[in-house]
Amino acid sequence: MSIFRPKFTTSTFSSKKKKKKKSADHKPIKIKGLNSDPEDFSEDSDNDEIRGAEDVSKAPVVNEIIKENYNFDSFKVDRDSDLDWWPDLADLDRLNILNAPMEDRARLLASKYSKPVDEIMVEIGEKTNLAYLEDFELPENPTKLLPMRLIHNYSCLPVKVDEQDKLCLVTPWPPTERMSRWVYAVSGRKPLWSLGFPEKISHAITENFGIGADSLDDSDLDLDGEDDAQDDLEDQNAAIIRFVNEVIQKAILDRATDIHFEPHKDTLQIRYRIDGQLVPVRVPDNLRSFQDAIISRIKIMSGINISEKRRPQGGRITFSQGQSDLDIRVSTLPTLYGESISLRLLNEKSQPLSMQELGLLGVDERKIVSILEKPHGIVLVTGPTGSGKSTSLTAFIRRIHKPERRIMTVEDPVEYEVAGINQTQVNAEIGFNFASALREILRQDPDVIMVGEIRDRETADIAIRASLTGHLVLSTLHTNDAPGAITRLIDMEIEPFLIASSVEMVIAQRLVRRLCQKCAMPTEKSEREIIASLALLDTEESEIVHKDKILQAVGCPQCQNLGYRGRVGIFELMKMSDPIHSLVIKSASAPDIREVALAEGMSTLQGSGWSQIKRGLTTIEEVIRYADGFVEEGTPENSDVNLKGKE
């Protein structure tokens, strides 16, 4: 019976391909360089027979361990025995789960059975006789127990060495024989496996080592001095490719909408925008030395001129992730310490939301639907960039879509695909802008037209005239509140009487972060603090009776310790009435229009936000931050409305 002898090198765990020696005598690959710190292989290490061996084939402890504990000839591939302990799973489902990364498998299994992930983890533990650890702590230097590349590749974390000299590890998925053998051979200790929450393990790996730390391991670039310069260059290129892909994949996993590469004097900072907030990403300490290569790689992916570093450039990347394709818009900007690059992630397979999923309450939903059912007129959605205006418009057209209605859209870009809707994307390079697209759409006999944004007078004029000729037009504007949309159109030199005759409703909206339902708990605010917050929200003091419904953010592994996961909308609805109509004709100011609208019962951002607070969907801090412009993150600590930073 032949004994498998593993060959250890850093490249064993990477995607690099080394040049084969032409010599007939195969020289065994050296173990030195596997660990992140070469000093780990000192002669006074605990397992010096393994760690100090120049050649793995001369390490008797490794062979003895394999002989003693494994009675088969070769390693089984990872998926050979996986899921044998879950026999009632269909073959296709089994294949999809096993093809996914280890940290995603439990989530897919939970989705299959419509169960929470932690509940599935407990069941997996029962079926495989593995303990499930809800909480675990890492030692001060985990790479002293297990090499960084093994930690990354198998998504396993060394927790401690027990009294019997066993290496205790936590993993998001039951280990295979292959994993156990690698741990035996590399550490010289028998592994003792436990299961852990997948997202917590992924978060711990990123927090302790930085995203892509295994890809940019310096040992990749100079293993043993035997490779030529061409091999080193190929290794570095492969490492950079892996790193950029890991950054994008991690952003998708974290539901980020943007990725920012920001060069500074001593580091290259990477930040994700998650739920509207910028979240710093832990990166390897040596990332600055790879800055130029990383920027060049992104430029190549997006079709940007890599030699041009003096002026801003733009491009796009089509990135495949699982069953969906991601459209990534890339923008570069020269800065003091290099080019800053921003990536906007647009999932081509994103599912549009319903009006209920937007966060619209029953009364507000009925008001909007009553307007949408009209055969003509304009409905405007306003708010700053990133406030969810396009998402709301898509929800509206889904609500009114009927076989007898022809609905056409012109967008930049098309963010959601809606079945049965004719969607057009503008192309500035050929002069196909909103105005020209809208002009052509009117010749297509539409009943409902959605215009992504009114940016200029020409587009506004065509949209208004379309509404006056029997079309329902939905569009967006960049204004802070609903009354401001009227004055914005007047500033575009649109005749006030045309505005008054065409605009049926203006909706201002913001997106506030949704509380993580896993860790949210009742607020610790005093009654005095709550009353002060109610005053800022223009809410009656009597609403203090609902104080027991107010929750606060805490943070857990599922929400990356932010306390929030996802977003929900708050809305301000202004319906055109006769008094407001008269003010518009007179070109009244936005404050005057707002005063009359409030007297007629206009729902406000603050009021909508308070309703979402009472529903347990968000916090007072979030609503104040987004619904009231004068409240900033820099509010003094002794203030009743101080905003607690979650990053």
Side-chain angles (χ1 to χ4, degrees), residues 270-418:
I270 299 178
R271 294 195 288 179
Y272 294 158
R273 187 172 295 280
I274 303 174
D275 296 332
Q277 299 293 304
L278 282 175
V279 179
V281 178
R282 174 78 165 85
V283 297
D285 296 333
N286 63 343
L287 188 62
R288 183 67 172 82
S289 59
F290 295 92
Q291 175 178 310
D292 291 341
I294 292 170
I295 291 174
S296 295
R297 171 59 185 168
I298 297 173
K299 284 184 170 183
I300 291 171
M301 293 173 69
S302 55
I304 294 175
N305 184 0
I306 62 172
S307 62
E308 179 58 71
K309 302 179 180 180
R310 301 168 300 172
R311 62 182 64 180
Q313 297 186 82
R316 60 192 302 171
I317 301 170
T318 299
F319 190 87
S320 297
Q321 176 71 9
Q323 301 296 321
S324 63
D325 291 329
L326 203 69
D327 184 23
I328 303 177
R329 306 296 175 91
V330 181
S331 174
T332 71
L333 182 71
T335 66
L336 188 61
Y337 296 105
E339 290 178 278
S340 174
I341 296 185
S342 293
L343 280 64
R344 169 64 59 88
L345 311 183
L346 302 170
N347 194 339
E348 296 181 356
K349 300 297 182 181
S350 295
Q351 294 298 314
L353 302 179
S354 66
M355 293 181 68
Q356 292 80 13
E357 291 170 326
L358 291 177
L360 280 165
L361 303 175
V363 176
D364 290 342
E365 182 182 358
R366 287 192 294 271
K367 288 181 180 178
I368 295 173
V369 171
S370 67
I371 299 297
L372 295 177
E373 293 293 342
K374 291 189 174 186
H376 55 79
I378 292 182
V379 177
L380 294 174
V381 182
T382 73
T385 301
S387 59
K389 300 185 297 295
S390 298
T391 303
S392 293
L393 288 183
T394 305
F396 296 166
I397 63 174
R398 287 185 67 205
R399 178 64 175 80
I400 63 175
H401 178 46
K402 300 176 182 178
E404 60 270 21
R405 267 186 164 177
R406 178 169 169 82
I407 302 177
M408 305 192 71
T409 76
V410 51
E411 305 168 68
D412 182 26
V414 176
E415 296 185 21
Y416 302 98
E417 295 182 14
V418 183

Side-chain angles (χ1 to χ4, degrees), residues 17 77 84 145 296 332 356 358 374 450 522 548:
K17 296 181 179 179
V77 297
D84 288 348
L145 300 175
S296 295
T332 71
Q356 292 80 13
L358 291 177
K374 291 189 174 186
M450 188 189 92
D548 294 338

Side-chain angles (χ1 to χ4, degrees), residues 103 106-107 110 116-122 131-136 155 157 170-173 194-204 518 556-560 565:
E103 58 271 20
R107 178 179 55 80
V117 177
D118 52 355
E119 186 175 324
I120 283 291
M121 294 300 300
V122 173
Y132 173 56
L133 304 180
E134 293 186 2
D135 294 305
F136 55 86
S155 294
L157 284 170
V170 61
T171 176
W173 190 256
S194 299
L195 296 176
F197 194 76
E199 291 191 13
K200 186 170 184 177
I201 293 175
S202 298
H203 183 69
K518 186 77 174 178
C556 66
Q558 189 165 328
C559 61
Q560 300 181 327
R565 186 175 176 85

Side-chain angles (χ1 to χ4, degrees), residues 144 170 177 221 262 320 348 392 464 476 484 553 576 604 609 633:
K144 293 291 183 181
V170 61
E177 291 89 345
L221 308 181
E262 303 166 312
S320 297
E348 296 181 356
S392 293
I464 285 177
T476 70
M576 296 293 287
T604 64
E633 286 189 88

Side-chain angles (χ1 to χ4, degrees), residues 247-256 319 321 326 345 347:
V247 171
I248 297 175
Q249 289 167 352
K250 185 66 166 60
I252 297 171
L253 185 65
D254 292 347
R255 303 169 298 100
F319 190 87
Q321 176 71 9
L326 203 69
L345 311 183
N347 194 339

Side-chain angles (χ1 to χ4, degrees), residues 438-569:
L438 185 54
R439 196 178 291 109
E440 295 301 323
I441 283 177
L442 288 173
R443 301 173 182 173
Q444 294 284 316
D445 187 33
D447 296 303
V448 181
I449 304 171
M450 188 189 92
V451 184
E453 183 182 349
I454 294 178
R455 296 176 178 175
D456 50 46
R457 177 186 176 182
E458 185 180 10
T459 306
D461 187 64
I462 298 172
I464 285 177
R465 295 186 184 281
S467 71
L468 294 174
T469 55
H471 303 88
L472 179 65
V473 180
L474 287 72
S475 191
T476 70
L477 274 176
H478 284 279
T479 62
N480 288 327
D481 59 6
I486 303 299
T487 55
R488 173 67 176 141
L489 291 174
I490 294 175
D491 290 340
M492 289 182 178
E493 298 181 357
I494 304 298
E495 294 292 342
F497 75 91
L498 291 176
I499 301 172
S501 302
S502 59
V503 176
E504 295 289 340
M505 176 176 282
V506 183
I507 305 167
Q509 74 174 64
R510 300 289 189 277
L511 292 178
V512 297
R513 290 184 292 175
R514 187 189 292 263
L515 272 168
C516 174
Q517 299 302 309
K518 186 77 174 178
C519 60
M521 60 179 294
T523 184
E524 296 178 353
K525 288 179 176 289
S526 67
E527 187 169 311
R528 173 178 168 270
E529 291 174 318
I530 295 175
I531 291 174
S533 299
L534 290 174
L536 287 174
L537 295 176
D538 284 336
T539 302
E540 297 292 334
E541 188 174 321
S542 59
E543 289 291 305
I544 191 68
V545 297
H546 300 290
K547 65 180 181 179
D548 294 338
K549 299 179 181 179
I550 303 175
L551 303 179
Q552 68 177 20
V554 178
C556 66
Q558 189 165 328
C559 61
Q560 300 181 327
N561 293 317
L562 296 175
Y564 301 92
R565 186 175 176 85
R567 288 190 285 181
V568 66

Side-chain angles (χ1 to χ4, degrees), residues 53-191:
E54 186 73 10
D55 187 329
V56 175
S57 66
K58 299 175 183 179
V61 174
V62 176
N63 291 332
E64 196 60 35
I65 290 174
I66 293 175
K67 287 181 187 178
E68 187 178 332
N69 295 277
Y70 297 101
N71 296 315
F72 55 99
D73 294 339
S74 61
F75 283 136
K76 294 182 178 181
V77 297
D78 283 352
R79 66 184 63 174
D80 276 359
S81 60
D82 277 351
L83 280 173
D84 288 348
W85 34 266
W86 206 298
D88 61 334
L89 200 61
D91 290 342
L92 182 59
D93 294 327
R94 187 184 304 270
L95 183 63
N96 290 334
I97 291 172
L98 294 178
N99 282 335
M102 289 187 64
E103 58 271 20
D104 294 339
R105 294 177 183 177
R107 178 179 55 80
L108 293 174
L109 195 61
S111 177
K112 169 67 179 177
Y113 292 96
S114 301
K115 294 182 178 180
V117 177
D118 52 355
E119 186 175 324
I120 283 291
M121 294 300 300
V122 173
E123 290 189 35
I124 292 174
E126 293 173 351
K127 291 178 179 290
T128 57
N129 295 318
L130 294 173
Y132 173 56
L133 304 180
E134 293 186 2
D135 294 305
F136 55 86
E137 293 183 4
L138 300 187
E140 186 174 343
N141 192 349
T143 56
K144 293 291 183 181
L145 300 175
L146 205 64
M148 184 192 306
R149 199 171 303 284
L150 203 64
I151 293 173
H152 274 269
N153 276 27
Y154 288 144
S155 294
C156 62
L157 284 170
V159 179
K160 64 178 180 178
V161 177
D162 69 3
E163 298 175 353
Q164 300 177 351
D165 202 39
K166 292 183 179 179
L167 182 58
C168 301
L169 302 107
V170 61
T171 176
W173 190 256
T176 61
E177 291 89 345
R178 183 181 184 185
M179 291 172 60
S180 295
R181 281 192 150 190
W182 273 114
V183 174
Y184 265 114
V186 174
S187 68
R189 294 185 173 96
K190 295 182 180 182

